[in-house]
Amino acid sequence: MDPLVIVSSRQDQSWVVFGEGGYERVRACGKRRILIADARLRAWSEAVARRIDADAVFSVDVDESQKTLATVERLYEWMGQSGVTRDTTVVALGGGVATDMVGFAAATYQRGLTWCAVPTSLLAQVDAAIGGKTGVNTAWGKNLVGAFHLPRVVVVDVEFLGTLPRREWLAGLGEVLKSGLIRGGALYERLDGLRLPPEGSLPAWRDVIFETAAIKTEIVNEDLYETGSRMFLNFGHTIGHALENLLGYGVLSHGEAVGLGALAALELSEKLCGLSPAVQIQVRKWMSLWGLPTAMPAIDFDLLWRRLRQDKKARTDGLTWVLVEAPGKPRLWRNIPEDLVRAVISNLALP
């Protein structure tokens, strides 16, 4: 597979490379490379450190609850103790939480270091590690502290997914589903009947992963700083992020929350954009096949609405939603009335 290329407005190049060639590009970055890895990946971190010729490795405990400024401060301390200089390249190994957090540390330490990502989860390979959005969570919202900082190289090595726990697959499926709905076409059609490993096969997912990553790359190429079409990538995330924050990070995986947010967005799309109800029926079929929840947990809507108003997509003139007129035809919709959102959430709630 050919590498995908993202070019920022500053003409910095960010390569998304499938397979072994990505490690070669990482080795060419900087005079020195350090690896920051999810502590659960010690066996892999040793192998990756050799592949990229890293001269220092740091392991950090990573999950949504620890994706905080306090953890980033630990990374700063280690980088300082390790003699990191402006020509050092920071390499992140792990899932979406790791790439978000390490990327943010690289964006802000010494006013910006070159960094690369070696994503090991479905979520990171198709979405989180691509496009230069880095950040951490706060008590009042998800990813509200962050920076745009493109990785120089993203190595998409599908072999990491061979031993991925089922819950980690679920965490990434929301992004695959989102991409199929906003782009339509081949990816949307390919999702029909697709099963998760081990029922399905890992090779069957290679094209899905490539196509999803390509969609993310193409949209980022058009709009790096999310002032236009990149906002379409937030489909399902408006309610999804609010659910993650309201319930507590880790109660729902990111993919489970985005999947529920997607169902809400589809119902709003039926009411406001004339979307055929057949689309939601199809999406529910896929979600049930994959094991994603299709009913909202018990929540206090007033608290959810407050989280929505604090979302980073909110503006002084209201909240921007991503809806679809049909698969492949997304559109932005501002200021959906609270009572309509409340009715949709109620329709999706558990009995």
Side-chain angles (χ1 to χ4, degrees), residues 7 40 42 61 88 131 136 157 160 184 203 223 228 242 247 252 258 265 278:
V7 183
R40 295 169 293 185
R42 283 192 173 87
D61 292 327
T88 299
V136 295
D157 187 345
F160 283 121
D223 178 26
L247 296 173
L252 289 176
V258 170

Side-chain angles (χ1 to χ4, degrees), residues 260-275:
L260 290 170
L263 290 180
L266 289 174
E267 187 154 339
L268 288 168
S269 298
E270 291 175 22
K271 298 179 182 301
L272 298 172
C273 303
L275 175 69

Side-chain angles (χ1 to χ4, degrees), residues 139-173:
W140 57 94
K142 185 177 173 73
N143 294 331
L144 288 185
V145 176
F148 288 96
H149 189 48
L150 283 168
R152 185 63 52 83
V153 181
V154 179
V155 183
V156 181
D157 187 345
V158 180
E159 295 307 313
F160 283 121
L161 306 185
T163 57
L164 204 64
R166 184 175 179 83
R167 183 164 174 78
E168 289 297 320
W169 277 94
L170 296 181
L173 286 172

Side-chain angles (χ1 to χ4, degrees), residues 1 158-159 169 190 194 197 200-209:
M1 292 179 176
V158 180
E159 295 307 313
W169 277 94
R190 198 183 296 276
L194 190 66
S201 66
L202 189 57
W205 279 87
R206 291 179 189 274
D207 288 342
V208 170
I209 292 166

Side-chain angles (χ1 to χ4, degrees), residues 216-335:
K216 175 74 179 279
T217 303
E218 290 165 6
I219 291 175
V220 171
N221 275 333
E222 297 168 1
D223 178 26
L224 177 62
Y225 294 109
E226 199 177 33
T227 59
S229 60
R230 186 167 181 173
M231 296 182 74
F232 293 147
L233 293 170
N234 291 321
F235 182 85
H237 287 62
T238 304
I239 285 177
H241 279 176
L243 281 174
E244 285 185 88
N245 177 260
L246 181 60
L247 296 173
Y249 295 117
V251 174
L252 289 176
S253 73
H254 180 69
E256 290 170 329
V258 170
L260 290 170
L263 290 180
L266 289 174
E267 187 154 339
L268 288 168
S269 298
E270 291 175 22
K271 298 179 182 301
L272 298 172
C273 303
L275 175 69
S276 168
V279 175
Q280 187 178 165
I281 293 171
Q282 179 72 72
V283 169
R284 283 179 172 274
K285 173 185 170 184
W286 296 340
M287 291 174 65
S288 296
L289 179 65
W290 297 335
L292 289 173
T294 57
M296 288 280 181
I299 54 172
D300 183 325
F301 178 82
D302 291 332
L303 291 178
L304 180 71
W305 185 255
R306 188 179 307 167
R307 297 300 195 281
L308 291 171
R309 299 296 300 172
Q310 293 171 337
D311 189 274
K312 62 182 181 298
K313 294 176 288 299
R315 301 293 185 267
T316 54
D317 60 349
L319 185 63
T320 300
W321 297 76
V322 184
L323 306 180
V324 288
E325 297 176 2
K329 292 185 178 181
R331 63 169 298 178
L332 301 179
W333 197 291
R334 297 188 186 277
N335 296 332

